[in-house]
Amino acid sequence: MGTIKKRFDLSVTEAEKTFSKTFELDKHIVYIKGILLTSDKDDLLYYRGSQKIEVDKQEVFPENYESKLLQSGINVSPNQRYYDLGNMPAGAGSIKLEYKDTQDSRAAFTPYRVSLYMDCITA
Amino acid sequence: MKEQVTIIPIPVVTPGQQYSFQQRLPRTTARIIGIETGINILSLLPPVATTGTEFKRTLFLGNLQLQLNGSPNLFWSDTVIADDNSIAMGELRPPNNLPRPAIGIVPAGGTGRSFYQFHDCTHGTKKEEQVIDICGSRLISGQYRDYTGQFFTTGIRYTITLYVWTENSLT
């Protein structure tokens, strides 16, 4: 039994649109320990982002759950940056990310990348 | 799933607005275990007065209170702020002691922010819900009061998102 970190990327190319993508985890991953969102433009993800996340067709975070609640600044220790999912079974290993960009006056839109990191436990 | 979150949007469009709501929690709710809030600002924020130093006060927007149906007391009350402007206090400063730049329009092609520029998105702590333990009813009532009308003549349009974390009786 070991741990492995996985990263999945999604590009946000248009303002105020929803982008959806399904990712596949490796077959030997049995549990998901934690989840983290980052971006190449932190402020856009922080102020404009919200998402729905499903693991194996089970909703973990509902629609409109803000991205800032799954982000960690650089002041947070790297060991504590992940949102704790409490060893959630990975099932068939499909991860669905439905990301929504919403207008916010504090961060004007420019195309950006959303990265979903998963802290996983292997068999 | 043992835990579940209910999301309640609170739109604010006029200064001094009071917004009351009732929300029924899922049928399987055993108790409320945590509260979180988020904010999405739709109109431009007015400039906040400074004292001529790099200290800048945090923009206070309003007060949100929650009550359980059938209970006379509030079980949760908190202030809502736009951004934490004190986040840079106690941090390393840039060599030339430049003041913290105001958050505003992002330059085309990128944010252009360095690690010496302190914002919630880069230097904020991990967001965690405020832990509470409330049971007895599945109906919560809430009231939000906007206070920006006391400080600014122009209204600020924004939406507060309230997250109510609950634990289900079915595991």
Side-chain angles (χ1 to χ4, degrees), chain A residues 41-43 46-47 58 61-66 68-69 72-76 80-83 102-108 110, chain B residues 1 5 7 36 38-43 82-83 91 103-104 106 110-111 113 115 120-127 161 163 165:
Chain A
K41 297 186 176 72
D42 289 318
D43 48 349
Y46 188 88
Y47 291 120
Q58 194 176 8
F61 297 104
E63 201 182 330
N64 293 327
Y65 193 82
E66 284 174 272
K68 70 179 76 164
L69 303 175
S72 289
I74 58 166
N75 279 6
V76 182
Q80 296 174 346
R81 284 184 189 165
Y82 284 79
Y83 184 99
T102 313
Q103 189 219 329
D104 192 296
S105 64
R106 292 168 293 180
T110 181
Chain B
M1 195 76 178
V5 64
I7 300 179
E36 281 178 292
I39 187 160
N40 192 234
I41 297 181
L42 304 170
S43 58
D83 276 311
E91 294 283 355
I103 216 158
V106 179
T111 58
R113 287 178 184 151
F115 286 128
D120 280 353
C121 52
T122 54
H123 289 70
T125 55
K126 190 164 78 167
K127 300 277 185 292
T161 315
Y163 303 89
W165 282 97

Short mmCIF file of all heavy atoms in Angstrom, two decimals, chain A residues 41-43 46-47 58 61-66 68-69 72-76 80-83 102-108 110, chain B residues 1 5 7 36 38-43 82-83 91 103-104 106 110-111 113 115 120-127 161 163 165:
data_model
loop_
_atom_site.label_atom_id
_atom_site.label_comp_id
_atom_site.label_asym_id
_atom_site.label_seq_id
_atom_site.Cartn_x
_atom_site.Cartn_y
_atom_site.Cartn_z
N LYS A 41 -3.33 30.89 -12.71
CA LYS A 41 -3.71 32.25 -12.31
C LYS A 41 -4.59 32.12 -11.06
O LYS A 41 -5.82 32.04 -11.16
CB LYS A 41 -4.42 32.97 -13.45
CG LYS A 41 -3.51 33.16 -14.67
CD LYS A 41 -4.13 33.97 -15.75
CE LYS A 41 -3.15 34.20 -16.89
NZ LYS A 41 -2.90 33.01 -17.71
N ASP A 42 -3.91 32.09 -9.93
CA ASP A 42 -4.58 31.80 -8.66
C ASP A 42 -5.79 32.69 -8.39
O ASP A 42 -6.80 32.24 -7.88
CB ASP A 42 -3.59 32.01 -7.50
CG ASP A 42 -2.54 30.95 -7.46
OD1 ASP A 42 -2.88 29.78 -7.66
OD2 ASP A 42 -1.36 31.29 -7.24
N ASP A 43 -5.63 33.98 -8.71
CA ASP A 43 -6.71 34.90 -8.36
C ASP A 43 -7.98 34.65 -9.17
O ASP A 43 -9.09 34.82 -8.67
CB ASP A 43 -6.26 36.36 -8.49
CG ASP A 43 -5.56 36.65 -9.79
OD1 ASP A 43 -5.25 35.69 -10.51
OD2 ASP A 43 -5.33 37.83 -10.10
N TYR A 46 -9.62 31.68 -7.61
CA TYR A 46 -10.08 32.05 -6.27
C TYR A 46 -11.38 32.86 -6.32
O TYR A 46 -12.31 32.60 -5.58
CB TYR A 46 -8.98 32.84 -5.57
CG TYR A 46 -9.23 33.12 -4.11
CD1 TYR A 46 -8.84 32.21 -3.14
CD2 TYR A 46 -9.83 34.30 -3.71
CE1 TYR A 46 -9.05 32.47 -1.80
CE2 TYR A 46 -10.05 34.57 -2.37
CZ TYR A 46 -9.66 33.64 -1.43
OH TYR A 46 -9.88 33.92 -0.10
N TYR A 47 -11.39 33.86 -7.18
CA TYR A 47 -12.55 34.76 -7.19
C TYR A 47 -13.66 34.32 -8.13
O TYR A 47 -14.81 34.64 -7.92
CB TYR A 47 -12.11 36.17 -7.57
CG TYR A 47 -11.26 36.84 -6.53
CD1 TYR A 47 -9.97 37.25 -6.81
CD2 TYR A 47 -11.75 37.04 -5.25
CE1 TYR A 47 -9.18 37.85 -5.85
CE2 TYR A 47 -10.97 37.64 -4.27
CZ TYR A 47 -9.68 38.04 -4.58
OH TYR A 47 -8.91 38.62 -3.62
N GLN A 58 -20.43 9.46 -7.75
CA GLN A 58 -20.95 9.89 -6.45
C GLN A 58 -20.52 11.34 -6.23
O GLN A 58 -19.33 11.64 -6.33
CB GLN A 58 -20.37 9.00 -5.36
CG GLN A 58 -21.08 9.14 -4.05
CD GLN A 58 -20.54 8.18 -3.00
OE1 GLN A 58 -19.55 7.50 -3.20
NE2 GLN A 58 -21.19 8.14 -1.86
N PHE A 61 -18.63 17.14 -4.12
CA PHE A 61 -18.93 18.56 -3.93
C PHE A 61 -20.02 18.94 -4.92
O PHE A 61 -19.89 18.65 -6.11
CB PHE A 61 -17.69 19.42 -4.14
CG PHE A 61 -16.61 19.13 -3.15
CD1 PHE A 61 -15.51 18.39 -3.51
CD2 PHE A 61 -16.72 19.57 -1.84
CE1 PHE A 61 -14.51 18.09 -2.59
CE2 PHE A 61 -15.73 19.27 -0.91
CZ PHE A 61 -14.64 18.53 -1.28
N PRO A 62 -21.09 19.57 -4.46
CA PRO A 62 -22.20 19.89 -5.36
C PRO A 62 -21.88 21.09 -6.26
O PRO A 62 -20.89 21.79 -6.05
CB PRO A 62 -23.35 20.21 -4.41
CG PRO A 62 -22.68 20.69 -3.18
CD PRO A 62 -21.36 20.00 -3.08
N GLU A 63 -22.74 21.29 -7.22
CA GLU A 63 -22.63 22.43 -8.12
C GLU A 63 -22.57 23.72 -7.29
O GLU A 63 -23.22 23.82 -6.24
CB GLU A 63 -23.88 22.44 -9.00
CG GLU A 63 -23.74 23.20 -10.27
CD GLU A 63 -25.05 23.17 -11.05
OE1 GLU A 63 -25.80 22.18 -10.94
OE2 GLU A 63 -25.31 24.15 -11.76
N ASN A 64 -21.82 24.69 -7.76
CA ASN A 64 -21.66 26.00 -7.11
C ASN A 64 -20.80 25.97 -5.85
O ASN A 64 -20.77 26.95 -5.11
CB ASN A 64 -23.01 26.65 -6.76
CG ASN A 64 -23.77 27.02 -8.00
OD1 ASN A 64 -23.18 27.39 -9.01
ND2 ASN A 64 -25.09 26.90 -7.95
N TYR A 65 -20.12 24.88 -5.59
CA TYR A 65 -19.20 24.85 -4.45
C TYR A 65 -17.94 25.60 -4.87
O TYR A 65 -17.27 25.24 -5.82
CB TYR A 65 -18.86 23.41 -4.08
CG TYR A 65 -18.17 23.28 -2.74
CD1 TYR A 65 -18.90 23.28 -1.56
CD2 TYR A 65 -16.80 23.19 -2.66
CE1 TYR A 65 -18.28 23.18 -0.33
CE2 TYR A 65 -16.16 23.09 -1.42
CZ TYR A 65 -16.91 23.09 -0.27
OH TYR A 65 -16.28 22.99 0.95
N GLU A 66 -17.63 26.68 -4.16
CA GLU A 66 -16.58 27.59 -4.64
C GLU A 66 -15.18 26.97 -4.59
O GLU A 66 -14.84 26.28 -3.63
CB GLU A 66 -16.59 28.88 -3.82
CG GLU A 66 -17.74 29.79 -4.21
CD GLU A 66 -17.83 30.99 -3.31
OE1 GLU A 66 -18.48 30.90 -2.28
OE2 GLU A 66 -17.23 32.02 -3.64
N LYS A 68 -12.38 28.42 -4.09
CA LYS A 68 -11.51 28.96 -3.05
C LYS A 68 -11.51 28.06 -1.80
O LYS A 68 -10.56 28.05 -1.05
CB LYS A 68 -11.91 30.39 -2.70
CG LYS A 68 -13.22 30.53 -1.97
CD LYS A 68 -13.52 31.97 -1.64
CE LYS A 68 -13.98 32.74 -2.86
NZ LYS A 68 -14.63 34.00 -2.55
N LEU A 69 -12.60 27.31 -1.62
CA LEU A 69 -12.70 26.44 -0.45
C LEU A 69 -11.83 25.19 -0.61
O LEU A 69 -11.62 24.45 0.35
CB LEU A 69 -14.16 26.05 -0.21
CG LEU A 69 -15.12 27.23 -0.01
CD1 LEU A 69 -16.55 26.74 0.12
CD2 LEU A 69 -14.75 28.03 1.23
N SER A 72 -5.32 26.25 -1.42
CA SER A 72 -4.46 26.55 -0.28
C SER A 72 -3.38 27.52 -0.73
O SER A 72 -2.78 27.32 -1.78
CB SER A 72 -3.79 25.30 0.25
OG SER A 72 -4.72 24.47 0.89
N GLY A 73 -3.13 28.55 0.07
CA GLY A 73 -2.07 29.50 -0.25
C GLY A 73 -0.71 28.91 0.07
O GLY A 73 -0.61 27.83 0.66
N ILE A 74 0.35 29.62 -0.31
CA ILE A 74 1.69 29.10 -0.07
C ILE A 74 2.08 29.17 1.40
O ILE A 74 3.11 28.65 1.79
CB ILE A 74 2.75 29.82 -0.94
CG1 ILE A 74 2.74 31.32 -0.66
CG2 ILE A 74 2.55 29.53 -2.40
CD1 ILE A 74 3.96 32.01 -1.21
N ASN A 75 1.26 29.83 2.20
CA ASN A 75 1.52 29.87 3.63
C ASN A 75 1.13 28.56 4.33
O ASN A 75 1.46 28.36 5.48
CB ASN A 75 0.73 31.01 4.28
CG ASN A 75 1.42 32.34 4.10
OD1 ASN A 75 2.42 32.42 3.40
ND2 ASN A 75 0.90 33.37 4.73
N VAL A 76 0.40 27.71 3.63
CA VAL A 76 -0.03 26.44 4.21
C VAL A 76 1.06 25.39 3.96
O VAL A 76 1.61 25.32 2.86
CB VAL A 76 -1.37 25.98 3.58
CG1 VAL A 76 -1.85 24.70 4.21
CG2 VAL A 76 -2.42 27.06 3.71
N GLN A 80 -0.31 19.83 4.46
CA GLN A 80 -1.68 20.11 4.94
C GLN A 80 -2.54 20.76 3.86
O GLN A 80 -3.62 21.25 4.15
CB GLN A 80 -1.61 21.03 6.16
CG GLN A 80 -0.92 20.37 7.33
CD GLN A 80 -0.72 21.32 8.50
OE1 GLN A 80 -0.86 22.53 8.35
NE2 GLN A 80 -0.37 20.77 9.63
N ARG A 81 -2.05 20.78 2.63
CA ARG A 81 -2.78 21.54 1.60
C ARG A 81 -4.02 20.83 1.07
O ARG A 81 -4.90 21.46 0.53
CB ARG A 81 -1.84 21.85 0.44
CG ARG A 81 -0.89 22.97 0.82
CD ARG A 81 -0.02 23.39 -0.30
NE ARG A 81 0.99 24.31 0.23
CZ ARG A 81 2.07 24.66 -0.40
NH1 ARG A 81 2.33 24.18 -1.59
NH2 ARG A 81 2.92 25.51 0.15
N TYR A 82 -4.08 19.53 1.20
CA TYR A 82 -5.19 18.80 0.59
C TYR A 82 -6.44 18.82 1.47
O TYR A 82 -6.34 18.72 2.69
CB TYR A 82 -4.78 17.34 0.34
CG TYR A 82 -3.88 17.19 -0.86
CD1 TYR A 82 -2.53 17.48 -0.78
CD2 TYR A 82 -4.38 16.77 -2.08
CE1 TYR A 82 -1.69 17.35 -1.88
CE2 TYR A 82 -3.56 16.63 -3.19
CZ TYR A 82 -2.22 16.93 -3.08
OH TYR A 82 -1.41 16.80 -4.17
N TYR A 83 -7.59 18.92 0.82
CA TYR A 83 -8.87 18.80 1.52
C TYR A 83 -9.07 17.32 1.85
O TYR A 83 -9.00 16.47 0.96
CB TYR A 83 -9.99 19.31 0.61
CG TYR A 83 -11.35 19.32 1.26
CD1 TYR A 83 -11.88 20.48 1.79
CD2 TYR A 83 -12.11 18.15 1.34
CE1 TYR A 83 -13.12 20.50 2.39
CE2 TYR A 83 -13.36 18.16 1.94
CZ TYR A 83 -13.85 19.33 2.47
OH TYR A 83 -15.09 19.33 3.07
N THR A 102 -17.50 32.32 -13.11
CA THR A 102 -18.53 33.32 -12.81
C THR A 102 -17.88 34.70 -12.73
O THR A 102 -16.75 34.82 -12.24
CB THR A 102 -19.18 33.01 -11.44
OG1 THR A 102 -19.49 31.63 -11.40
CG2 THR A 102 -20.46 33.80 -11.23
N GLN A 103 -18.60 35.71 -13.15
CA GLN A 103 -18.06 37.06 -13.13
C GLN A 103 -17.76 37.53 -11.71
O GLN A 103 -18.52 37.26 -10.78
CB GLN A 103 -19.07 38.01 -13.78
CG GLN A 103 -18.52 39.40 -14.01
CD GLN A 103 -19.56 40.47 -13.73
OE1 GLN A 103 -20.74 40.26 -13.91
NE2 GLN A 103 -19.11 41.62 -13.27
N ASP A 104 -16.63 38.19 -11.53
CA ASP A 104 -16.30 38.83 -10.26
C ASP A 104 -15.46 40.05 -10.57
O ASP A 104 -14.49 39.97 -11.34
CB ASP A 104 -15.53 37.86 -9.35
CG ASP A 104 -15.44 38.39 -7.92
OD1 ASP A 104 -14.82 39.44 -7.71
OD2 ASP A 104 -16.00 37.74 -7.02
N SER A 105 -15.83 41.19 -9.96
CA SER A 105 -15.16 42.44 -10.32
C SER A 105 -13.71 42.49 -9.84
O SER A 105 -12.93 43.33 -10.26
CB SER A 105 -15.93 43.62 -9.74
OG SER A 105 -15.90 43.55 -8.33
N ARG A 106 -13.31 41.60 -8.94
CA ARG A 106 -11.95 41.64 -8.40
C ARG A 106 -10.93 40.95 -9.30
O ARG A 106 -9.73 41.09 -9.10
CB ARG A 106 -11.93 41.00 -7.01
CG ARG A 106 -12.67 41.82 -5.98
CD ARG A 106 -12.87 41.05 -4.70
NE ARG A 106 -13.79 39.93 -4.88
CZ ARG A 106 -14.14 39.10 -3.93
NH1 ARG A 106 -13.65 39.23 -2.73
NH2 ARG A 106 -14.99 38.11 -4.16
N ALA A 107 -11.39 40.19 -10.28
CA ALA A 107 -10.47 39.49 -11.19
C ALA A 107 -11.09 39.42 -12.58
O ALA A 107 -12.04 38.66 -12.80
CB ALA A 107 -10.17 38.09 -10.67
N ALA A 108 -10.57 40.23 -13.50
CA ALA A 108 -11.10 40.23 -14.88
C ALA A 108 -10.65 38.97 -15.61
O ALA A 108 -9.57 38.44 -15.34
CB ALA A 108 -10.59 41.46 -15.60
N THR A 110 -9.26 36.24 -18.11
CA THR A 110 -8.25 35.95 -19.11
C THR A 110 -8.16 34.41 -19.09
O THR A 110 -8.42 33.82 -18.05
CB THR A 110 -6.91 36.64 -18.76
OG1 THR A 110 -5.96 36.36 -19.75
CG2 THR A 110 -6.38 36.24 -17.41
N MET B 1 -22.82 8.39 1.45
CA MET B 1 -22.04 9.55 1.90
C MET B 1 -22.56 10.02 3.25
O MET B 1 -23.73 10.27 3.42
CB MET B 1 -22.19 10.66 0.84
CG MET B 1 -21.20 11.76 0.96
SD MET B 1 -19.63 11.20 0.32
CE MET B 1 -18.69 12.69 0.53
N VAL B 5 -23.36 18.78 1.87
CA VAL B 5 -23.39 20.24 1.99
C VAL B 5 -24.60 20.80 1.26
O VAL B 5 -24.95 20.34 0.18
CB VAL B 5 -22.07 20.88 1.48
CG1 VAL B 5 -21.83 20.65 0.01
CG2 VAL B 5 -22.01 22.37 1.80
N ILE B 7 -26.14 24.29 -0.25
CA ILE B 7 -25.65 25.61 -0.67
C ILE B 7 -26.82 26.59 -0.77
O ILE B 7 -27.82 26.31 -1.43
CB ILE B 7 -24.91 25.50 -2.02
CG1 ILE B 7 -23.71 24.55 -1.85
CG2 ILE B 7 -24.45 26.86 -2.51
CD1 ILE B 7 -22.92 24.34 -3.10
N GLU B 36 -19.80 27.42 6.32
CA GLU B 36 -18.78 28.15 5.56
C GLU B 36 -19.49 29.23 4.76
O GLU B 36 -20.67 29.09 4.44
CB GLU B 36 -18.09 27.22 4.55
CG GLU B 36 -17.03 26.33 5.14
CD GLU B 36 -16.43 25.42 4.09
OE1 GLU B 36 -17.13 24.52 3.59
OE2 GLU B 36 -15.26 25.61 3.76
N GLY B 38 -18.88 32.07 1.31
CA GLY B 38 -18.07 32.55 0.19
C GLY B 38 -18.72 33.79 -0.36
O GLY B 38 -19.89 34.07 -0.06
N ILE B 39 -17.98 34.56 -1.14
CA ILE B 39 -18.56 35.79 -1.67
C ILE B 39 -18.11 36.01 -3.11
O ILE B 39 -16.96 35.74 -3.46
CB ILE B 39 -18.22 36.99 -0.76
CG1 ILE B 39 -18.95 38.23 -1.24
CG2 ILE B 39 -16.74 37.25 -0.67
CD1 ILE B 39 -19.06 39.28 -0.19
N ASN B 40 -19.05 36.47 -3.91
CA ASN B 40 -18.80 36.76 -5.31
C ASN B 40 -19.24 38.21 -5.56
O ASN B 40 -20.42 38.51 -5.44
CB ASN B 40 -19.61 35.77 -6.15
CG ASN B 40 -19.22 35.78 -7.60
OD1 ASN B 40 -20.05 35.95 -8.44
ND2 ASN B 40 -17.95 35.60 -7.89
N ILE B 41 -18.28 39.09 -5.85
CA ILE B 41 -18.61 40.51 -6.00
C ILE B 41 -18.83 40.85 -7.46
O ILE B 41 -17.97 40.57 -8.30
CB ILE B 41 -17.52 41.38 -5.35
CG1 ILE B 41 -17.52 41.06 -3.86
CG2 ILE B 41 -17.77 42.86 -5.59
CD1 ILE B 41 -16.56 41.83 -3.04
N LEU B 42 -19.98 41.41 -7.76
CA LEU B 42 -20.37 41.63 -9.15
C LEU B 42 -20.08 43.05 -9.63
O LEU B 42 -19.86 43.26 -10.81
CB LEU B 42 -21.86 41.31 -9.34
CG LEU B 42 -22.25 39.88 -8.91
CD1 LEU B 42 -23.75 39.71 -8.90
CD2 LEU B 42 -21.61 38.86 -9.83
N SER B 43 -20.11 44.02 -8.74
CA SER B 43 -19.81 45.39 -9.17
C SER B 43 -18.46 45.81 -8.62
O SER B 43 -17.92 45.17 -7.72
CB SER B 43 -20.91 46.33 -8.69
OG SER B 43 -21.02 46.26 -7.29
N ALA B 82 -15.04 41.45 2.34
CA ALA B 82 -14.72 41.23 0.92
C ALA B 82 -13.39 40.50 0.79
O ALA B 82 -13.30 39.45 0.18
CB ALA B 82 -14.68 42.57 0.18
N ASP B 83 -12.33 41.05 1.36
CA ASP B 83 -11.00 40.45 1.33
C ASP B 83 -10.33 40.79 2.64
O ASP B 83 -10.58 41.84 3.21
CB ASP B 83 -10.15 41.06 0.19
CG ASP B 83 -10.42 40.38 -1.13
OD1 ASP B 83 -10.41 39.14 -1.16
OD2 ASP B 83 -10.67 41.10 -2.12
N GLU B 91 4.34 39.51 7.58
CA GLU B 91 5.05 38.77 6.53
C GLU B 91 6.33 39.49 6.12
O GLU B 91 6.52 40.66 6.43
CB GLU B 91 4.14 38.64 5.28
CG GLU B 91 2.91 37.80 5.50
CD GLU B 91 3.22 36.32 5.50
OE1 GLU B 91 4.39 35.95 5.24
OE2 GLU B 91 2.31 35.52 5.78
N ILE B 103 -5.93 45.29 -5.11
CA ILE B 103 -6.43 44.27 -6.02
C ILE B 103 -7.33 44.97 -7.02
O ILE B 103 -8.03 45.91 -6.70
CB ILE B 103 -7.14 43.16 -5.22
CG1 ILE B 103 -6.87 41.83 -5.87
CG2 ILE B 103 -8.62 43.38 -5.12
CD1 ILE B 103 -7.04 40.69 -4.92
N GLY B 104 -7.26 44.60 -8.26
CA GLY B 104 -8.08 45.31 -9.24
C GLY B 104 -8.09 44.59 -10.55
O GLY B 104 -8.18 43.37 -10.59
N VAL B 106 -6.93 42.74 -13.70
CA VAL B 106 -5.78 41.89 -14.01
C VAL B 106 -5.21 42.33 -15.36
O VAL B 106 -5.95 42.48 -16.32
CB VAL B 106 -6.23 40.42 -14.10
CG1 VAL B 106 -5.07 39.52 -14.46
CG2 VAL B 106 -6.84 39.99 -12.79
N GLY B 110 -2.04 37.84 -17.89
CA GLY B 110 -1.58 37.26 -16.64
C GLY B 110 -1.87 38.14 -15.46
O GLY B 110 -2.38 39.25 -15.59
N THR B 111 -1.54 37.63 -14.30
CA THR B 111 -1.84 38.35 -13.07
C THR B 111 -0.72 39.31 -12.72
O THR B 111 -0.94 40.32 -12.08
CB THR B 111 -2.03 37.37 -11.91
OG1 THR B 111 -0.83 36.63 -11.80
CG2 THR B 111 -3.17 36.43 -12.18
N ARG B 113 1.52 39.06 -10.56
CA ARG B 113 1.73 39.22 -9.12
C ARG B 113 2.90 38.37 -8.66
O ARG B 113 3.07 37.26 -9.11
CB ARG B 113 0.47 38.82 -8.37
CG ARG B 113 -0.59 39.86 -8.56
CD ARG B 113 -1.85 39.47 -7.88
NE ARG B 113 -2.85 40.48 -8.19
CZ ARG B 113 -4.12 40.25 -8.25
NH1 ARG B 113 -4.58 39.06 -8.03
NH2 ARG B 113 -4.95 41.22 -8.54
N PHE B 115 5.32 36.81 -5.30
CA PHE B 115 5.05 36.28 -3.97
C PHE B 115 5.15 37.35 -2.90
O PHE B 115 4.79 37.14 -1.76
CB PHE B 115 5.99 35.12 -3.68
CG PHE B 115 5.64 33.88 -4.42
CD1 PHE B 115 6.58 33.21 -5.18
CD2 PHE B 115 4.34 33.39 -4.38
CE1 PHE B 115 6.24 32.05 -5.86
CE2 PHE B 115 4.00 32.24 -5.06
CZ PHE B 115 4.95 31.57 -5.81
N ASP B 120 -5.39 37.07 -0.63
CA ASP B 120 -6.02 35.86 -0.08
C ASP B 120 -5.73 34.63 -0.94
O ASP B 120 -5.54 33.53 -0.43
CB ASP B 120 -7.54 36.05 -0.01
CG ASP B 120 -7.94 36.85 1.21
OD1 ASP B 120 -7.06 37.13 2.03
OD2 ASP B 120 -9.12 37.19 1.34
N CYS B 121 -5.69 34.84 -2.26
CA CYS B 121 -5.56 33.69 -3.16
C CYS B 121 -4.17 33.08 -3.13
O CYS B 121 -4.00 31.90 -3.45
CB CYS B 121 -5.96 34.07 -4.58
SG CYS B 121 -5.13 35.53 -5.18
N THR B 122 -3.16 33.85 -2.77
CA THR B 122 -1.80 33.31 -2.76
C THR B 122 -1.31 32.99 -1.34
O THR B 122 -0.56 32.05 -1.15
CB THR B 122 -0.81 34.30 -3.40
OG1 THR B 122 -0.94 35.54 -2.74
CG2 THR B 122 -1.05 34.44 -4.87
N HIS B 123 -1.71 33.80 -0.39
CA HIS B 123 -1.17 33.64 0.96
C HIS B 123 -2.24 33.30 2.00
O HIS B 123 -1.96 33.31 3.19
CB HIS B 123 -0.44 34.92 1.38
CG HIS B 123 0.85 35.12 0.65
ND1 HIS B 123 0.88 35.44 -0.68
CD2 HIS B 123 2.13 35.03 1.04
CE1 HIS B 123 2.16 35.55 -1.07
NE2 HIS B 123 2.91 35.30 -0.05
N GLY B 124 -3.42 33.02 1.57
CA GLY B 124 -4.50 32.68 2.50
C GLY B 124 -4.29 31.31 3.12
O GLY B 124 -3.61 30.46 2.55
N THR B 125 -4.87 31.11 4.26
CA THR B 125 -4.79 29.80 4.89
C THR B 125 -5.79 28.85 4.23
O THR B 125 -6.63 29.28 3.45
CB THR B 125 -5.12 29.89 6.38
OG1 THR B 125 -6.41 30.50 6.49
CG2 THR B 125 -4.10 30.70 7.13
N LYS B 126 -5.68 27.58 4.56
CA LYS B 126 -6.63 26.62 4.03
C LYS B 126 -8.01 26.93 4.60
O LYS B 126 -8.15 27.17 5.80
CB LYS B 126 -6.21 25.21 4.42
CG LYS B 126 -7.00 24.13 3.71
CD LYS B 126 -6.33 22.79 3.82
CE LYS B 126 -6.54 22.17 5.17
NZ LYS B 126 -6.16 20.75 5.20
N LYS B 127 -9.01 26.94 3.73
CA LYS B 127 -10.36 27.26 4.19
C LYS B 127 -10.95 26.06 4.93
O LYS B 127 -10.94 24.95 4.41
CB LYS B 127 -11.26 27.62 3.00
CG LYS B 127 -10.77 28.81 2.21
CD LYS B 127 -11.22 30.11 2.84
CE LYS B 127 -10.86 31.31 2.02
NZ LYS B 127 -9.44 31.59 1.93
N THR B 161 -22.48 33.14 -0.64
CA THR B 161 -22.87 31.74 -0.72
C THR B 161 -22.66 31.12 0.66
O THR B 161 -21.56 31.17 1.20
CB THR B 161 -22.03 30.99 -1.76
OG1 THR B 161 -21.95 31.81 -2.93
CG2 THR B 161 -22.66 29.67 -2.12
N TYR B 163 -22.70 27.81 2.99
CA TYR B 163 -22.57 26.36 2.91
C TYR B 163 -22.90 25.78 4.28
O TYR B 163 -22.26 26.13 5.27
CB TYR B 163 -21.14 25.96 2.54
CG TYR B 163 -20.67 26.56 1.23
CD1 TYR B 163 -20.05 27.79 1.21
CD2 TYR B 163 -20.86 25.88 0.03
CE1 TYR B 163 -19.61 28.35 0.01
CE2 TYR B 163 -20.44 26.43 -1.16
CZ TYR B 163 -19.82 27.66 -1.16
OH TYR B 163 -19.40 28.22 -2.33
N TRP B 165 -22.92 22.39 6.20
CA TRP B 165 -22.49 20.99 6.20
C TRP B 165 -23.33 20.21 7.20
O TRP B 165 -23.51 20.63 8.34
CB TRP B 165 -21.01 20.87 6.59
CG TRP B 165 -20.09 21.22 5.46
CD1 TRP B 165 -19.50 22.43 5.26
CD2 TRP B 165 -19.67 20.38 4.39
NE1 TRP B 165 -18.72 22.37 4.11
CE2 TRP B 165 -18.80 21.13 3.57
CE3 TRP B 165 -19.93 19.05 4.05
CZ2 TRP B 165 -18.20 20.60 2.44
CZ3 TRP B 165 -19.33 18.52 2.92
CH2 TRP B 165 -18.48 19.29 2.12
#
